[in-house]
């Protein structure tokens, strides 16, 4: 199929979340419009720059909560790619919303990326697209191994504590909120409802769902709470310090 083995040049950004756990930052703006402290740029601005650097020329941004704030920013910002916005006429659920946004992609016969609007990450999307094509998958999920936010305790068989580990990596991989989809994935999405409970499990049973572990050392953070914002700002300042050193 044409375009199957080339990196996608189109993407959907799901930016409709309410971000209730990020209040008061989200009282007057949708979650993807919250700025990473110290950058002067909202999360979605960082995302669009990353997508453009990875070869994406067209993005469809699915807006929801306080859509006009996001649309106003997109209309006035200098963006490195073409952006179309869509607003669901009624709540369609995560899968229905993704299908509704995908209908506006300029090349329905070609593969596409999708990303959740609250993810701040950097890794090679082109590598992920190659991984997806090699496995002939219908959908590929990026997989992250987050750090557990608590200190962990190791014990021996007798119940003695043998070690304390501060914020260890999780033993489980999680859905990192970044995807590569083949053209036929769109037809597998529900018109309304949650694809993560319907489409993804079905594709997994059929061995058509692949998981791309983020490369070692890749930056990834879901911005869910005010603490995540502060941590992201701290990590950014540290990385800039290291670059300048």
């Amino acid at each position: 199929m044409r375009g199957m083995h080339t990196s996608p040049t189109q993407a959907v950004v799901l930016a409709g979340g309410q971000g209730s756990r990020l209040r008061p930052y989200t009282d007057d703006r949708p979650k993807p419009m919250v700025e990473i402290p110290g950058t002067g740029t909202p999360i979605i601005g960082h995302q669009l720059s990353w997508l453009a650097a990875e070869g994406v020329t067209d993005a469809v941004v699915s807006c929801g909560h306080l859509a006009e704030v996001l649309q106003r920013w997109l209309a006035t910002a200098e963006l490195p790619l073409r952006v179309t916005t869509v607003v669901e006429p009624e709540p369609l659920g995560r899968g229905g919303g993704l299908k509704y946004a995908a209908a506006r992609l300029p090349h329905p016969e070609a593969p596409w990326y999708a990303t959740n609007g609250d993810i701040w990450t950097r890794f090679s999307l082109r590598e992920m697209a190659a991984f997806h094509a090699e496995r002939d998958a219908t959908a590929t999920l990026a997989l992250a191994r987050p750090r557990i936010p608590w200190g962990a305790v190791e014990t021996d068989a007798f119940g003695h504590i043998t070690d304390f580990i501060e914020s260890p990596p999780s033993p489980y991989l999680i859905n990192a909120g970044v995807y590569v989809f083949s053209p036929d994935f769109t037809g597998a999405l529900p018109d309304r409802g949650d694809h993560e409970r319907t489409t993804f499990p079905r594709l997994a049973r059929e061995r058509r769902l692949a998981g791309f572990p983020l490369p070692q050392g890749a930056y990834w953070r879901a911005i869910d709470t005010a603490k995540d914002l502060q941590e992201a700002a701290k990590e950014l300042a540290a990385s800039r310090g290291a670059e300048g050193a």
Side-chain angles (χ1 to χ4, degrees):
M1 190 177 288
R2 189 175 75 76
M4 277 304 276
H5 298 287
T6 55
S7 292
T9 59
Q10 53 186 0
V12 168
V13 179
L14 297 168
Q18 294 214 5
S20 50
R21 289 196 297 163
L22 260 173
R23 288 193 178 126
Y25 296 99
T26 49
D27 283 345
D28 62 351
R29 69 196 63 191
K31 197 175 178 183
M33 278 301 298
V34 172
E35 286 182 11
I36 306 284
T39 70
T41 305
I43 300 165
I44 193 162
H46 292 282
Q47 279 198 334
L48 293 172
S49 296
W50 173 52
L51 290 169
E54 290 290 329
V56 174
T57 56
D58 292 270
V60 177
V61 177
S62 177
C63 312
H65 175 64
L66 297 174
E68 62 286 352
V69 178
L70 181 47
Q71 287 172 319
R72 199 160 51 238
W73 183 81
L74 289 168
T76 55
E78 281 190 33
L79 300 173
L81 36 60
R82 283 184 294 273
V83 172
T84 307
T85 59
V86 297
V87 182
E88 294 168 26
E90 57 187 318
L92 300 172
R94 288 194 295 182
L98 187 56
K99 189 173 195 173
Y100 185 77
R104 297 295 298 276
L105 289 168
H107 308 293
E109 76 296 344
W112 47 291
Y113 296 118
T115 179
N116 295 344
D118 58 353
I119 300 297
W120 194 31
T121 186
R122 285 288 183 277
F123 65 91
S124 172
L125 279 174
R126 290 182 176 93
E127 271 178 35
M128 185 177 169
F131 178 97
H132 170 82
E134 279 161 18
R135 279 146 193 82
D136 200 21
T138 298
T140 298
L141 284 59
L143 304 175
R145 193 180 293 280
R147 292 199 164 269
I148 295 170
W150 304 283
V153 176
E154 283 193 348
T155 59
D156 65 16
F158 297 103
H160 297 120
I161 291 175
T162 56
D163 204 359
F164 295 92
I165 307 162
E166 198 52 47
S167 299
S170 164
Y172 296 104
L173 290 163
I174 65 159
N175 178 353
V178 180
Y179 313 90
V180 183
F181 296 134
S182 293
D184 56 340
F185 176 74
T186 314
L189 283 167
D191 291 326
R192 57 178 62 229
D194 189 349
H195 62 297
E196 296 194 11
R197 296 190 177 167
T198 53
T199 312
F200 280 172
R202 189 173 80 245
L203 292 176
R205 285 193 298 273
E206 296 167 358
R207 296 291 182 271
R208 290 161 59 204
L209 189 66
F212 174 76
L214 293 193
Q216 193 71 35
Y219 184 84
W220 179 87
R221 182 174 284 280
I223 309 289
D224 259 340
T225 64
K227 186 168 184 275
D228 290 324
L229 265 186
Q230 306 313 321
E231 294 287 331
K234 227 187 296 180
E235 285 160 7
L236 184 71
S239 73
R240 282 179 174 168
E243 283 167 17

